[in-house]
Amino acid sequence: MNIDTRKRELVKELSPMLEKSSLLSKIWIAALISIILVGLYAFVLQLANGHEVTGMRDNVVWGIYIVNFIFFVCLSYSGAFIAGVLHFFETPLKNSIARIVEITTVLSLIIGPVFILLCIGRLDRLYYLFLYPRIQSPISWDIIAILTDLIGCFVYLYLTFIPDLAILRDASKENAEVPNWRKKMYRFLAIGYQGTPSQHKRLHKIIRIMSVMIIAMAIVAYSVLAWIFSLTVQPGWNSTIFAPYFIISGLYSGIAVIIIAMYIIRKFYKLEKYITKIHFFAGGVMLLIISLLYGYFTFSEYFSRWFSHKKHDVDLLNTLFSRYFWQFIFANYFGILMPIAILFFKKLRTVKLVTIAAIISVLGIWLNKYLIVVPTLETPYLPIQDTRAEFVHYTATWVEWSLSLTGIAAFCLFFTLILKFVPAIPMSGIIDLEKGKQSKREKNNPIVTEF
Amino acid sequence: MKKKQTEEGGTDRRKFLKLGLMTSLTAITGASIVTSLAAQEEEKEPTGEMIRLLTPDGKIVEVNASNINKYPEALITPEESRKGIPDRKFVMVIDLAKCKNARKCVEECQKAHKLDEHQEFMKIQLIQNHEEGQPYWFPKPCFHCDEPPCVIVCPTGATFKRDDGIVLINNERCIGCKFCVTSCPYSARQFNWGHKEKFDDKSQPYSPETGVPAAEGTVMKCDFCPDLLRQGQLPHCAKACPMGVIYFGDKNEDIVTNGEETVRFSQLINDRGGYRHLEHLGTKPNVYYLPAVNRQFPLERGFDIDEEIKERYKDVPYVQELKKQGKI
């Protein structure tokens, strides 16, 4: 097999993704932009009128912003984790989906912290965090952890992009249709990578080291996030298992979001050849394992509270099982048992059903986090004795919902735009995979990686 | 045995001043601003006279009366407010047996701190410990804990613990992350959710010791009124209470007063079974409670209030029962 011709074939095959904009994709982008514009209006409103426009009040001082913050940040950590594992163990699966995982990681790590900024009453004083830092505060730990992780993930993502950028640079040289700025950009970003064996070896070594590092950073950063809650003395938060619980729930939602992304990208760009049933099958098995773990953690958390029935824990459980009954049932029963029920049976692990299980998981996780944040704040040690309904119970306002949707829309929009710049399938990965298969065939070894 | 030091005539404030004077005789280093202030206030000499003052480090100095800095009125800047009043350890004792929900403490506090109708640094809750127990009125300020969870989590040091035991907020440093609100187990903190006209009123320069003017997007709470303490006065709530529920004083001097009677702090706590709320959380509050035994007023007296405020207590089972019986 001639590598150069194969590269050219791949570019030809995948470049329509980069060049043409179909009507559907235009509508899609327009819709996303309009959601974001509404969100920007909501943001201006919040900036001008203060947090009064949100549903947050003195008892529930953190609302769905912080739920979104946890959700997106946990998405990124799990993305980093999965990307790191895929690369470190050199699984053949990585070659087609690694890029989806990596983009998910970086985008959610950019969008997540924006939500914590929305919780801050005085954005104009944000630099005080660096001007008057107090290292004792878990918030300071969180800032350090997230910034480190963000930089690490960026470096990692860029490293994995280099071979493809080099391929695109070479391919676009002769292609007159590619605009000049793109050619320049590809040339600049490929930093002279030619794919020589020594370069190839060195790059892979660095990526391997980085993959281990981002796994470690993900664990640290997500533990710190969980500690923001569990280091307080509040009844629903002060839990020793919160850090591992959050890591597991992060993996759960991360795998689920990646499965959903795989499904949409596969459908939209017609990549059935590269993102195969096997990927969904494997994703489904991973989701099953993590959902069992996640269910176990959830059960342990609430079971010990219920069994030991300390007064304030009982108060919290009463709130959860009265006002939040259906949410609790959906998040912690349906959201865990349903995916398990689907994924448990081999026959049910089809592309569609795995995706449905993934959607249920994502919704369940979001609600689970909501139930960790809001009911706890509604059930403080001293009972809330107030006549103002909005101070007793939290209801998110349209501003909060709009900004939450903006986060999702921005995620989708950036995802779409990145896929216009580099293909969803890492070409170098496909070539490596095919090379590997060929060399194995030549050695007359049994083909392990075939699927 | 209660040691009473009731004195005739004069205001509550005077008594507190004299208390400071007397105790400084026994503990010279414990003397302080309070005594020096007393000297300053009581000697109204014409300009040019010399006055003898006791400095915070225990030395007696003679200064020209016209040179005396009007310290009580002087602005305490955010930087100065971090230090605290030397050699003091402020403590509050709330006698639950005497509280009848007159709400004078709440109203005076609101007036002094320019708070709106529902913003209360001092909240009066109706607490029922268990099904058998009768509920009692529970005035709840900030507990100014010795292990304050709010101070630990603040990422910018906007809220701080002073040497005199007071936990204060500098709202010019606060970024409004609300982490302190979520970590306080006593719900003592309040957030300024929107902009209000009163925030723009700069006639009184801002000091963390008064908390006025408040600022949008920042946190506020009960501050033990250090501006009054510097003048040798009791906090607004203690001054306002008609029942003498709130005792305030100095743990170092082992003395607290409610304006009418002055007692030994340790003796009061020991004789009356004083306790701290939610002791098991390990926050070490500086507000002590005397249990609601041998009450001076029936609980129902506390319902002689606005309908709106009465509504706050509707979830307490005992109140529902009273309503059924038509007693309130």
Side-chain angles (χ1 to χ4, degrees):
Chain A
M1 186 182 69
N2 187 332
I3 290 173
D4 281 339
T5 48
R6 181 68 186 128
K7 272 184 193 170
R8 222 156 286 163
E9 272 171 37
L10 272 172
V11 173
K12 220 177 180 183
E13 193 181 339
L14 297 172
S15 54
M17 280 169 63
L18 309 181
E19 281 153 18
K20 259 191 267 165
S21 303
S22 67
L23 183 67
L24 191 65
S25 78
K26 275 178 190 159
I27 294 171
W28 166 243
I29 289 173
L32 292 176
I33 289 177
S34 48
I35 292 173
I36 293 173
L37 286 177
V38 176
L40 283 178
Y41 172 67
F43 178 66
V44 170
L45 218 60
Q46 182 177 322
L47 217 54
N49 299 341
H51 284 205
E52 223 162 23
V53 296
T54 69
M56 297 185 279
R57 287 297 180 268
D58 274 346
N59 290 299
V60 186
V61 291
W62 288 341
I64 58 172
Y65 290 154
I66 209 130
V67 177
N68 292 328
F69 168 66
I70 305 172
F71 183 81
F72 274 105
V73 173
C74 89
L75 194 57
S76 81
Y77 295 156
S78 61
F81 199 93
I82 296 162
V85 169
L86 285 177
H87 264 277
F88 189 74
F89 293 106
E90 307 255 321
T91 53
L93 289 173
K94 76 162 200 252
N95 294 303
S96 351
I97 60 157
R99 178 139 306 147
I100 298 175
V101 178
E102 286 146 8
I103 296 173
T104 309
T105 304
V106 173
L107 284 183
S108 47
L109 198 50
I110 294 168
I111 293 168
V114 173
F115 278 106
I116 199 79
L117 296 183
L118 293 175
C119 293
I120 293 204
R122 292 298 292 251
L123 276 177
D124 54 320
R125 294 177 180 173
L126 198 63
Y127 64 96
Y128 284 11
L129 286 171
F130 304 97
L131 204 59
Y132 310 106
R134 274 186 88 253
I135 200 69
Q136 298 95 315
S137 168
I139 287 193
S140 305
W141 311 348
D142 212 21
I143 292 163
I144 296 168
I146 286 184
L147 284 182
T148 315
D149 199 41
L150 192 63
I151 294 167
C153 284
F154 261 120
V155 170
Y156 179 73
L157 185 74
Y158 174 61
L159 288 174
T160 58
F161 270 25
I162 290 175
D164 274 23
L165 290 165
I167 294 172
L168 287 166
R169 173 197 60 198
D170 298 342
S172 63
K173 254 181 211 160
E174 306 124 38
N175 194 341
E177 276 174 45
V178 180
N180 245 339
W181 67 267
R182 262 194 186 209
K183 284 183 191 171
K184 271 187 197 160
M185 190 89 116
Y186 288 140
R187 202 181 318 133
F188 176 73
L189 289 175
I191 51 168
Y193 184 80
Q194 297 294 344
T196 61
S198 76
Q199 277 182 335
H200 188 267
K201 202 178 153 195
R202 204 177 312 150
L203 186 69
H204 270 255
K205 206 172 174 185
I206 300 170
I207 292 180
R208 216 172 132 84
I209 294 169
M210 275 309 289
S211 69
V212 180
M213 280 176 65
I214 61 169
I215 293 176
M217 280 191 280
I219 292 177
V220 170
Y222 211 36
S223 301
V224 173
L225 179 64
W227 287 340
I228 283 199
F229 297 94
S230 67
L231 296 186
T232 66
V233 293
Q234 305 298 349
W237 293 353
N238 186 224
S239 161
T240 49
I241 65 164
F242 252 35
Y245 182 33
F246 270 44
I247 289 174
I248 293 296
S249 65
L251 281 178
Y252 188 49
S253 64
I255 293 168
V257 167
I258 286 159
I259 289 173
I260 297 169
M262 263 162 51
Y263 183 83
I264 296 171
I265 289 167
R266 177 179 191 249
K267 260 255 140 69
F268 190 75
Y269 294 112
K270 309 212 165 36
L271 292 172
E272 281 86 352
K273 194 177 153 196
Y274 297 102
I275 303 175
T276 59
K277 263 187 182 172
I278 297 292
H279 287 100
F280 284 88
F281 187 85
V285 173
M286 272 169 85
L287 195 63
L288 175 66
I289 295 167
I290 299 293
S291 64
L292 288 166
L293 264 174
Y294 170 62
Y296 167 69
F297 269 95
T298 309
F299 177 74
S300 309
E301 172 69 16
Y302 287 107
F303 177 69
S304 58
R305 283 187 196 289
W306 172 78
F307 193 87
S308 61
H309 64 275
K310 282 185 288 188
K311 181 182 178 292
H312 298 287
D313 285 341
V314 172
D315 288 347
L316 178 67
L317 289 177
N318 283 342
T319 311
L320 284 171
F321 280 99
S322 55
R323 187 177 160 80
Y324 293 100
F325 183 77
W326 288 110
Q327 285 99 315
F328 192 87
I329 295 294
F330 184 87
N332 296 332
Y333 287 78
F334 195 68
I336 297 169
L337 296 178
M338 195 66 182
I340 292 177
I342 293 174
L343 300 168
F344 191 77
F345 301 100
K346 206 172 172 186
K347 269 191 187 161
L348 292 181
R349 285 180 215 143
T350 62
V351 175
K352 264 191 191 148
L353 280 175
V354 167
T355 311
I356 288 171
I359 292 170
I360 296 171
S361 319
V362 170
L363 294 176
I365 280 279
W366 194 90
L367 255 182
N368 172 280
K369 293 285 176 284
Y370 185 90
L371 293 179
I372 285 175
V373 173
V374 175
T376 295
L377 290 172
E378 283 181 359
T379 324
Y381 276 106
L382 282 154
I384 302 174
Q385 292 178 339
D386 206 314
T387 46
R388 296 163 296 173
E390 72 270 26
F391 277 70
V392 180
H393 292 298
Y394 168 77
T395 330
T397 59
W398 76 266
V399 172
E400 287 170 280
W401 285 119
S402 157
L403 280 165
S404 306
L405 282 178
T406 300
I408 299 167
F411 181 83
C412 297
L413 182 67
F414 289 138
F415 215 122
T416 316
L417 293 180
I418 290 177
L419 291 188
K420 287 225 162 292
F421 189 67
V422 284
I425 305 299
M427 295 177 284
S428 51
I430 299 293
I431 288 168
D432 283 351
L433 182 69
E434 283 167 3
K435 250 200 296 190
K437 271 187 211 167
Q438 205 175 25
S439 63
K440 268 179 191 156
R441 234 176 257 140
E442 278 160 11
K443 281 181 198 161
N444 288 329
N445 275 354
I447 302 160
V448 204
T449 50
E450 188 72 87
F451 45 73
Chain B
M1 288 289 286
K2 275 174 252 174
K3 186 184 167 193
K4 289 197 178 182
Q5 289 184 336
T6 342
E7 287 172 45
E8 286 169 23
T11 58
D12 300 344
R13 179 175 59 82
R14 263 275 162 80
K15 281 174 218 152
F16 194 54
L17 291 177
K18 287 200 175 138
L19 171 72
L21 263 174
M22 286 186 307
T23 47
S24 66
L25 292 175
T26 48
I28 295 172
T29 45
S32 59
I33 298 164
V34 182
T35 36
S36 61
L37 289 176
Q40 182 203 334
E41 283 224 346
E42 271 156 31
E43 290 180 40
K44 284 174 185 161
E45 312 284 339
T47 334
E49 280 303 306
M50 300 302 277
I51 303 183
R52 292 167 83 191
L53 291 180
L54 189 60
T55 61
D57 51 348
K59 286 174 194 155
I60 292 178
V61 290
E62 216 166 62
V63 291
N64 196 313
S66 58
N67 287 344
I68 291 177
N69 179 12
K70 293 269 177 273
Y71 201 41
E73 289 82 29
L75 173 75
I76 305 294
T77 62
E79 222 29 71
E80 287 166 339
S81 72
R82 283 182 185 262
K83 288 188 193 108
I85 303 169
D87 300 322
R88 297 283 172 194
K89 182 88 175 70
F90 293 111
V91 68
M92 187 184 270
V93 182
I94 296 175
D95 187 353
L96 298 173
K98 287 194 229 159
C99 183
K100 62 158 193 173
N101 195 23
R103 294 183 61 78
K104 290 285 175 281
C105 56
V106 181
E107 286 157 17
E108 274 308 304
C109 172
Q110 284 178 319
K111 216 187 289 169
H113 291 100
K114 300 205 166 82
L115 300 176
D116 293 344
E117 194 197 340
H118 276 101
Q119 295 178 318
E120 296 172 353
F121 287 172
M122 173 70 96
K123 279 190 190 119
I124 301 187
Q125 299 212 265
L126 187 62
I127 303 288
Q128 188 168 3
N129 284 351
H130 49 82
E131 287 101 352
E132 297 302 318
Q134 205 196 20
Y136 50 89
W137 299 110
F138 183 80
K140 189 204 70 185
C142 167
F143 289 169
H144 295 270
C145 309
D146 280 342
E147 299 280 348
C150 52
V151 171
I152 298 169
V153 300
C154 179
T156 59
T159 185
F160 47 87
K161 176 85 181 164
R162 316 202 303 181
D163 291 340
D164 58 7
I166 295 180
V167 175
L168 272 195
I169 299 164
N170 173 4
N171 78 14
E172 290 174 344
R173 178 77 67 86
C174 177
I175 61 164
C177 70
K178 305 167 198 162
F179 198 9
C180 57
V181 187
T182 60
S183 46
C184 174
Y186 311 109
S187 317
R189 291 174 163 251
Q190 289 167 34
F191 193 74
N192 286 308
W193 293 97
H195 186 77
K196 283 175 183 155
E197 257 175 47
K198 62 181 182 182
F199 298 162
D200 297 329
D201 177 19
K202 301 280 185 230
S203 59
Q204 182 180 351
Y206 173 72
S207 165
E209 297 213 336
T210 55
V212 178
E216 185 198 337
T218 60
V219 186
M220 52 182 189
K221 69 167 186 68
C222 154
D223 51 15
F224 267 6
C225 304
D227 53 327
L228 293 188
L229 301 180
R230 279 190 197 275
Q231 301 174 47
Q233 298 186 34
L234 289 172
H236 291 287
C237 51
K239 275 205 279 187
C241 181
M243 308 304 144
V245 170
I246 302 169
Y247 293 79
F248 194 88
D250 185 351
K251 214 173 174 180
N252 287 344
E253 293 179 337
D254 196 21
I255 272 177
V256 287
T257 175
N258 63 357
E260 277 168 22
E261 59 168 352
T262 303
V263 285
R264 283 206 174 277
F265 166 73
S266 54
Q267 207 172 2
L268 185 68
I269 295 299
N270 283 330
D271 292 352
R272 302 277 307 275
Y275 70 97
R276 299 188 289 196
H277 193 63
L278 299 178
E279 180 76 44
H280 72 276
L281 293 179
T283 50
K284 301 184 182 159
N286 276 310
V287 173
Y288 291 76
Y289 286 95
L290 304 179
V293 290
N294 298 327
R295 296 192 206 183
Q296 297 192 358
F297 307 99
L299 181 77
E300 290 81 349
R301 283 277 292 279
F303 286 104
D304 193 17
I305 37 169
D306 283 357
E307 204 52 46
E308 192 274 324
I309 294 163
K310 226 185 278 180
E311 270 301 290
R312 294 184 189 178
Y313 308 115
K314 64 177 190 306
D315 289 336
V316 181
Y318 191 83
V319 174
Q320 290 167 350
E321 225 167 86
L322 281 181
K323 269 189 183 165
K324 252 186 237 162
Q325 296 165 7
K327 280 191 186 163
I328 51 166

